[in-house]
């Protein structure tokens, strides 16, 4: 639980289970050739991946990419897969009971019996794992997630955001080594999203490894140490967030004029790839800061030289969203080429 003071002291200790630590772990979660078939469909297709202790790993992919299925294989929700999935070096099939207790799962869909109070939901969950938290420990966890005043409320009376926070508390009851958050902020408002991000960061600070899936690329960009991009069951690439931005992150400069650009301005821009949207002209260039090779200079001079009045200029680099589209495009193009 969040109240535990010896977090990280022994990454595989798990409430009395006879699991001995082998010293520093290389990988908390390890997948090797993981494949899950549903008939003809490979929902997960030959995925190999190692999640390192203490990292926040974001799994990004469109609807139906295989994210939930992948998480399901590791957390024991899904069986009958090929390849290997291990938690703290232990095969999840051979050591189901132990590995199940090392992982926490906040599923995509909210699921609990709506007849119990918040406290009861947590007590039952603890009981399921053979853990006996004190009342004070449960209160402390609820307090961390701003749910203490709802401790004795029926879960039916919670707001959507409160339910989601309760789901996280539920997944933390048995003090997992690695927490899987499947679309943790789907359908929650901006304020709650910020709050949840805060909780995730606090968890990481106390040593919990976190694997999350998300459609909010902003979320991955803000939280993740590494990002894995998955499409049609295949893990296309895994990168440090910074390396990903470095590899794909083109920079751009946008100039907003005081009026719609005249034909003279457009002509002056010549062969350069400039996007025009209303009064704004955007030039994409280079991959890293400083390698623009005079392109930006030419762009700005051409605009001013053609007599346009500049209202504002702003620069930046492409977001993960753009990168994501580029990676998926690359994958599709590669598939086309192989036909
Ligand atoms: N029990 C099942 N039986 C048959 N097909 C399934 C089953 N579960 C998932 N699939 C299929 O496997 C593929 C991957 O589904 P999955 O739920 O893992 O995607 P996802 O990446 O989590 O998508 P989303 O972002 O929409 O949550 C989809 O084509 C889905 O229809
Ligand atoms: Mg899913």
């Amino acid at each position: 639980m969040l109240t535990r003071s010896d977090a990280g002291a022994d990454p595989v200790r798990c409430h009395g289970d006879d699991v001995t630590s082998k010293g520093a772990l290389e990988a908390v979660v390890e997948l090797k050739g993981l494949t899950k078939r549903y008939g003809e469909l490979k929902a997960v297709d030959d995925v190999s991946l190692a999640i390192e202790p203490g990292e926040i790993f974001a799994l990004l992919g469109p609807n139906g990419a295989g994210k939930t299925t992948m998480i399901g294989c590791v957390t024991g929700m899904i069986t009958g897969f090929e390849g290997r999935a291990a938690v703290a070096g232990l095969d999840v099939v051979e050591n189901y009971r132990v590995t199940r207790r090392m992982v926490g799962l906040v599923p995509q869909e909210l699921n609990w019996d709506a007849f119990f109070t918040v406290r009861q939901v947590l007590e039952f969950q603890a009981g399921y794992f053979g853990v006996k938290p004190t009342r004070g420990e449960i209160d402390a966890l609820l307090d961390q997630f701003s749910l203490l005043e709802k401790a004795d409320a029926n879960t039916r009376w919670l707001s959507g955001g409160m339910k989601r926070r309760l789901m996280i508390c539920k997944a933390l009851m048995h003090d997992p080594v690695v927490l899987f958050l499947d679309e943790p902020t789907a359908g929650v408002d901006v304020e709650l999203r910020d709050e949840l991000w805060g909780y995730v960061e606090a968890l990481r600070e106390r040593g919990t490894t976190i694997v999350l899936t998300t459609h909010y690329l902003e979320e991955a960009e803000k939280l993740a140490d590494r990002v894995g991009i998955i499409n049609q069951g295949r893990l296309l690439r895994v990168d440090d967030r910074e390396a990903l931005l470095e590899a794909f992150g083109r920079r751009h400069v946008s100039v907003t004029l005081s009026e719609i650009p005249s034909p003279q301005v457009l002509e002056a821009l010549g062969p350069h790839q400039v996007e025009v949207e209303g009064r704004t002209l955007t030039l994409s260039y280079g991959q890293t800061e400083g390698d623009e090779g005079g392109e930006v200079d030419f762009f700005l001079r051409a605009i001013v030289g053609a007599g346009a009045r500049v209202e504002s200029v702003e620069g930046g680099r492409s977001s993960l969203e753009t990168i994501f589209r580029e990676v998926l495009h690359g994958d599709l193009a590669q598939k086309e080429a192989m036909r």
Side-chain angles (χ1 to χ4, degrees):
M1 286 171 49
L2 279 180
T3 49
R4 194 178 71 173
S5 59
D6 62 346
D10 181 348
V12 294
R13 190 180 63 87
C14 201
H15 292 292
D17 261 316
D18 189 23
V19 184
T20 43
S21 171
K22 293 177 194 136
L25 284 169
E26 289 278 303
V28 174
V29 176
E30 194 168 20
L31 310 178
K32 276 205 181 126
L34 187 76
T35 301
K36 174 63 191 175
R37 294 172 201 263
Y38 290 114
E40 291 289 293
L41 175 80
K42 283 186 187 167
V44 176
D45 187 359
D46 196 20
V47 168
S48 295
L49 173 67
I51 310 275
E52 292 155 19
E55 74 172 333
I56 297 183
F57 189 95
L59 211 43
L60 284 182
N63 283 136
K67 304 180 296 294
T68 299
T69 308
M70 219 170 116
I71 287 181
C73 294
V74 184
T75 54
M77 301 293 121
I78 292 172
T79 53
F81 54 81
E82 296 152 50
R84 177 181 146 92
V87 177
L90 299 169
D91 186 283
V92 301
V93 177
E94 288 164 16
N95 304 281
Y96 171 80
R97 199 181 66 85
V98 177
T99 57
R100 180 67 192 88
R101 283 181 60 165
M102 282 194 266
V103 301
L105 171 66
V106 181
Q108 196 165 2
E109 311 290 338
L110 302 177
N111 64 340
W112 64 68
D113 203 327
F115 295 101
F116 299 108
T117 66
V118 166
R119 188 185 300 284
Q120 282 169 332
V121 165
L122 297 186
E123 282 169 354
F124 294 155
Q125 180 73 10
Y128 176 72
F129 285 103
V131 183
K132 289 192 184 65
T134 63
R135 191 180 170 87
E137 280 174 329
I138 289 189
D139 284 355
L141 182 64
L142 287 172
D143 196 27
Q144 295 256 9
F145 285 85
S146 316
L147 280 174
L148 188 53
E149 65 179 44
K150 298 286 178 185
D152 298 308
N154 191 295
T155 55
R156 266 179 302 177
W157 305 333
L158 298 182
S159 74
M162 291 173 187
K163 284 180 183 154
R164 209 158 277 278
R165 276 181 272 156
L166 177 56
M167 292 295 286
I168 300 180
C169 291
K170 206 178 146 192
L172 291 173
M173 278 315 287
H174 61 292
D175 197 12
V177 173
V178 52
L179 180 67
F180 291 86
L181 295 158
D182 199 357
E183 309 269 346
T185 55
V188 306
D189 64 26
V190 175
E191 202 179 319
L192 178 63
R193 202 179 305 166
D194 280 349
E195 211 175 283
L196 285 171
W197 287 354
Y199 294 136
V200 170
E201 267 163 3
L203 278 172
R204 187 253 293 272
E205 264 163 42
R206 64 181 283 283
T208 308
T209 306
I210 291 160
V211 180
L212 60 92
T213 76
T214 178
H215 285 160
Y216 297 104
L217 297 155
E218 184 198 359
E219 193 158 76
E221 193 165 11
K222 186 157 193 310
L223 288 179
D225 300 306
R226 287 195 303 153
V227 180
I229 294 182
I230 178 169
N231 189 36
Q232 296 183 344
R234 290 178 47 229
L235 189 62
L236 301 180
R237 58 184 298 146
V238 175
D239 274 311
D240 286 353
R241 179 188 46 183
E242 286 308 316
L244 196 71
L245 288 166
E246 200 61 26
F248 287 89
R250 286 179 69 75
R251 302 186 70 80
H252 69 264
V253 57
S254 290
V255 174
T256 301
L257 307 180
S258 58
E259 52 194 27
I260 300 283
S262 65
Q264 288 90 326
V265 172
L266 296 177
E267 201 178 321
L269 293 171
H272 288 263
Q273 284 284 316
V274 176
E275 237 176 79
V276 183
E277 211 185 324
R279 292 185 290 124
T280 303
L281 305 165
T282 300
L283 173 79
S284 295
Y285 63 93
Q287 301 219 326
T288 49
E289 203 162 5
D291 71 348
E292 58 266 34
E295 247 187 303
V296 173
D297 197 43
F298 172 89
F299 176 63
L300 296 175
R301 278 176 199 277
I303 292 170
V304 176
R309 269 208 310 247
V310 175
E311 215 171 72
S312 63
V313 179
E314 72 172 38
R317 61 181 184 184
S318 39
S319 65
L320 256 182
E321 184 114 32
T322 316
I323 294 169
F324 183 56
R325 260 188 257 121
E326 279 180 29
V327 171
L328 287 186
H329 254 133
D331 182 47
L332 293 177
Q334 203 180 359
K335 269 193 185 155
E336 282 293 315
M338 282 164 68
R339 272 188 193 160

